[in-house]
Amino acid sequence: MTDRPLLSLQQLAVTYPGAPLPALQGIDLRLAPREKLAVIGESGSGKSTLARAIAGLLPGGSHVGGDLIWSGDTPVPGRDIGFVFQDPGGSLDPLLSIGAHLVEVLRTHLPLSPRAARDRAGDLLAQVRLPDPRAALEGYPHQFSGGQRQRIAIALAIAAGPALLIADEATSALDVLVQAEIVALLRDLAEARTMALIFVTHDIGLAAQLADRIAVLRNGRLQEIGPTARVLAAPQAEYTRQLLAAHLDLSSPPLVEARG
Amino acid sequence: MSLLTVTDLSKTHHGARRVRALEDVSLSVDAGETLGLVGPSGCGKSTLARMILRLDRPDAGAIRFDGQDWLALRGRDLRRARGGLQMVFQDPAAAFHPRATVQGALAEALRLHSGMPRAAWATRIADLLTQVDLAPDLAPRPLSTLSGGQQQRVAIARAIATGPRLVVLDEALSALDTSIRGRILALLVRLQRDLGLAYLFIGHDLAVVRAISHRIAVMDAGRIVETGPATKVLAHPQADLTRRLIAAIPTLSPPGDLP
Ligand SMILES: Nc1ncnc2c1ncn2[C@@H]1O[C@H](COP(=O)(O)OP(=O)(O)OP(=O)(O)O)[C@@H](O)[C@H]1O
Ligand SMILES: Nc1ncnc2c1ncn2[C@@H]1O[C@H](COP(=O)(O)OP(=O)(O)OP(=O)(O)O)[C@@H](O)[C@H]1O
Ligand SMILES: [Mg+2]
Ligand SMILES: [Mg+2]
């Protein structure tokens, strides 16, 4: 990578308050501007911990070792780093209209008049391909499906034009059809907006759909990191081979014999 | 003869708005067979599962299970027959009492359905745990101290404790990571072979459903739009929804290789 990194981690280690062991340790990683990095690994491997450490969202009292170096000024969460979580409802207030959510984030971070913010909010909903975006501004969270709510959460996360978007299992609660749409949306947004993307998932197949590079975590340690095609075709860590072997698609042998 | 036959089942939910969750749904599952049921979120899969498990009643239609008019069973007959039809849901934590131990959860199932003397429970519990690849010394542990994959295996152990002929698995593996999911799929296939179990395996991920199912039914907006042998449904999908579900299966080719 010839670009100056957006972010570089050197021997990053995280221990949660009161935890006997670190949840992450010895993490070395450089993220280029505009790069799409997938972070994969089994449950409890430290994926969310890595995402939270980068976003500055670790609980108070967590111990962070090593270095986390940004190329520019220290980023402001919500403005320079956007975050999308698994539960699309969790980031939305049931009592606030979708328009009010977006206007609040926009005006907190950008010098916009209420009217300009409202226009920008409509544009954002169009960018995440919500049907009838202007009308959606008037709607409330419960009036949208899970997939639509996740699009709204993405619109909120990218509203202030972050240099980095972190999506932590952002598609795991959605059905496969909606999941495929959201993955394509995240990929297109990252490309169109010159934004880097960290896509956290336990599904190596999804990682393969959008990432330039894949990082594999296990037990809080980086097992390997490399270009997507290389990690898939020639995994270096035994654990990556296990993940690849557990992946199911149409080329996997069925476990039972078909019957008439 | 089929073990389970569902005929023209219909159900409308009357919530904030009326939802026709099932419209004339018919399907059957043979003994020892796995029928996969796939469809997008909200298409009615869980509604159907709840009817089959007698957790809710249909507006119209019939269900026959093991030669009996399943919807007509009441009281003691129903309780006795229920041991033959068990379930595993997506969220194992929600399926157990919050403070239950592994052995407590399994003993409860044995007490309700097996008629086995209490003195024999401990041996049977150890045997059940072994069958689902868990160490018998997990028995005294509170369920809350087990990982998601371990809890789901306890849920499977509880389901098979009563010697069922059919187990309904509703998104039972959806919350698990892929390596644990692979181990549990293999476990289900082994239990089917050893115990002659039939499964109704519900999911929205066709790649997973296909791996374990002999036949597949595809559901869309409360209707079955396609049924057939798994290989045929995958190779020659008839319904547009089936084609979309197949196209949504993530493959391991990097983005540059996509068509
Ligand atoms: N707030 C916390 N306090 C103490 N320990 C925590 C906290 N959050 C996470 N952990 C622990 O840190 C480890 C890593 O957790 P993390 O949430 O990063 O895993 P993950 O890879 O995101 O898993 P999943 O796929 O289940 O989301 C786990 O052992 C977890 O139990
Ligand atoms: N108790 C209820 N009251 C009102 N509506 C309901 C109720 N249960 C389900 N529904 C509605 O019925 C339809 C079918 O729901 P169901 O839960 O059966 O779908 P599903 O196929 O299991 O979806 P998922 O894949 O998301 O689990 C949906 O529109 C749902 O909102
Ligand atoms: Mg996580
Ligand atoms: Mg359901």
Side-chain angles (χ1 to χ4, degrees):
Chain A
M1 232 150 297
T2 49
D3 280 343
R4 191 160 159 237
L6 174 69
L7 165 69
S8 90
L9 308 181
Q10 287 161 13
Q11 290 296 302
L12 185 82
V14 174
T15 306
Y16 283 104
L21 293 171
L24 270 187
Q25 52 187 321
I27 307 290
D28 288 318
L29 190 147
R30 289 151 63 93
L31 185 72
R34 321 185 50 165
E35 185 179 11
K36 299 188 289 298
L37 175 73
V39 177
I40 65 171
E42 69 196 349
S43 184
S45 59
K47 305 181 296 293
S48 297
T49 304
L50 180 62
R52 286 187 213 117
I54 292 172
L57 294 175
L58 288 171
S62 302
H63 183 267
V64 179
D67 291 305
L68 201 154
I69 302 159
W70 294 90
S71 67
D73 296 334
T74 307
V76 177
R79 185 188 71 187
D80 306 313
I81 308 175
F83 213 101
V84 188
F85 300 94
Q86 170 164 352
D87 169 17
S91 47
L92 301 173
D93 180 341
L95 300 178
L96 274 188
S97 73
I98 304 307
H101 276 96
L102 283 160
V103 165
E104 183 183 319
V105 172
L106 284 164
R107 296 199 66 213
T108 303
H109 296 299
L110 305 173
L112 291 174
S113 70
R115 213 204 141 89
R118 189 114 191 130
D119 283 348
R120 183 79 68 92
D123 295 346
L124 283 162
L125 293 182
Q127 277 186 41
V128 297
R129 297 184 215 129
L130 203 68
D132 202 352
R134 302 286 149 189
L137 289 175
E138 311 300 330
Y140 286 80
H142 74 268
Q143 294 167 324
F144 297 88
S145 72
Q148 289 172 337
R149 280 201 290 269
Q150 198 56 292
R151 285 169 194 274
I152 293 165
I154 293 170
L156 274 169
I158 64 171
L164 170 63
L165 178 65
I166 301 178
D168 187 356
E169 303 280 4
T171 66
S172 308
L174 305 172
D175 79 42
V176 285
L177 298 174
V178 182
Q179 180 171 306
E181 289 168 18
I182 298 282
V183 165
L185 172 68
L186 288 171
R187 184 178 59 208
D188 296 350
L189 284 174
E191 281 163 12
R193 297 175 67 106
T194 66
M195 175 176 76
L197 176 67
I198 295 181
F199 183 81
V200 174
T201 177
H202 62 258
D203 186 341
I204 197 168
L206 282 184
Q209 304 302 298
L210 93 169
D212 303 318
R213 285 196 302 161
I214 296 181
V216 183
L217 281 180
R218 180 176 216 189
N219 295 335
R221 293 181 178 275
L222 202 53
Q223 303 294 303
E224 74 176 292
I225 178 165
T228 299
R230 202 278 294 148
V231 171
L232 297 178
Q236 282 167 359
E238 169 56 27
Y239 178 60
T240 314
R241 281 191 280 275
Q242 284 176 28
L243 286 180
L244 286 165
H247 173 77
L248 289 173
D249 62 24
L250 291 183
S251 61
S252 326
L255 301 170
V256 298
E257 268 176 46
R259 300 180 185 173
Chain B
M1 200 182 71
S2 296
L3 178 63
L4 174 79
T5 314
V6 170
T7 312
D8 292 335
L9 216 61
S10 292
K11 175 74 180 180
T12 299
H13 289 299
H14 300 274
R17 59 200 171 92
R18 289 178 69 241
V19 180
R20 293 211 67 178
L22 297 177
E23 288 189 60
D24 299 327
V25 167
S26 299
L27 53 79
S28 66
V29 185
D30 286 346
E33 178 191 49
T34 302
L35 176 70
L37 178 65
V38 287
S41 183
C43 73
K45 304 180 295 294
S46 296
T47 301
L48 176 60
R50 293 174 56 80
M51 305 291 142
I52 293 171
L53 294 162
R54 291 277 314 252
L55 298 173
D56 200 352
R57 287 194 78 80
D59 301 330
I63 300 176
R64 290 194 75 77
F65 176 67
D66 214 0
Q68 291 171 298
D69 180 353
W70 187 238
L71 296 176
L73 286 182
R74 298 265 181 289
R76 191 130 67 95
D77 292 338
L78 175 61
R79 264 200 309 283
R80 198 173 306 128
R82 266 215 163 113
L85 209 172
Q86 290 290 305
M87 66 203 133
V88 182
F89 291 119
Q90 171 163 359
D91 182 2
F96 297 113
H97 187 279
R99 285 188 306 279
T101 60
V102 172
Q103 63 199 7
L106 297 177
E108 175 77 358
L110 294 175
R111 184 179 67 77
L112 283 174
H113 299 291
S114 72
M116 185 180 277
R118 192 175 282 262
W121 289 0
T123 318
R124 175 71 175 141
I125 288 170
D127 177 44
L128 285 166
L129 291 175
T130 310
Q131 275 187 331
V132 296
D133 282 332
L134 289 174
D137 59 15
L138 283 181
R141 288 260 296 269
L143 276 153
S144 57
T145 65
L146 268 53
S147 76
Q150 289 174 326
Q151 288 182 14
Q152 200 56 297
R153 275 178 279 175
V154 176
I156 293 169
R158 181 173 66 174
I160 63 173
T162 60
R165 309 205 49 210
L166 175 70
V167 180
V168 177
L169 299 117
D170 187 358
E171 305 274 5
L173 311 189
S174 305
L176 302 176
D177 64 55
T178 40
S179 53
I180 296 172
R181 184 185 70 193
R183 301 222 313 268
I184 295 192
L185 280 170
L187 167 71
L188 290 173
V189 170
R190 200 193 74 220
L191 291 172
Q192 179 166 68
R193 214 178 34 227
D194 294 353
L195 308 174
L197 289 177
Y199 299 124
L200 177 61
F201 188 93
I202 299 177
H204 57 77
D205 184 342
L206 198 43
V208 178
V209 172
R210 157 192 177 270
I212 195 171
S213 300
H214 300 100
R215 287 188 306 122
I216 290 179
V218 182
M219 195 165 178
D220 191 9
R223 292 176 172 277
I224 302 285
V225 295
E226 173 157 14
T227 319
T231 40
K232 184 151 167 280
V233 169
L234 270 297
H236 305 287
Q238 301 298 308
D240 177 56
L241 173 65
T242 316
R243 282 189 281 272
R244 286 168 53 221
L245 288 169
I246 291 172
I249 297 174
T251 60
L252 286 181
S253 46
D257 297 6
L258 287 179

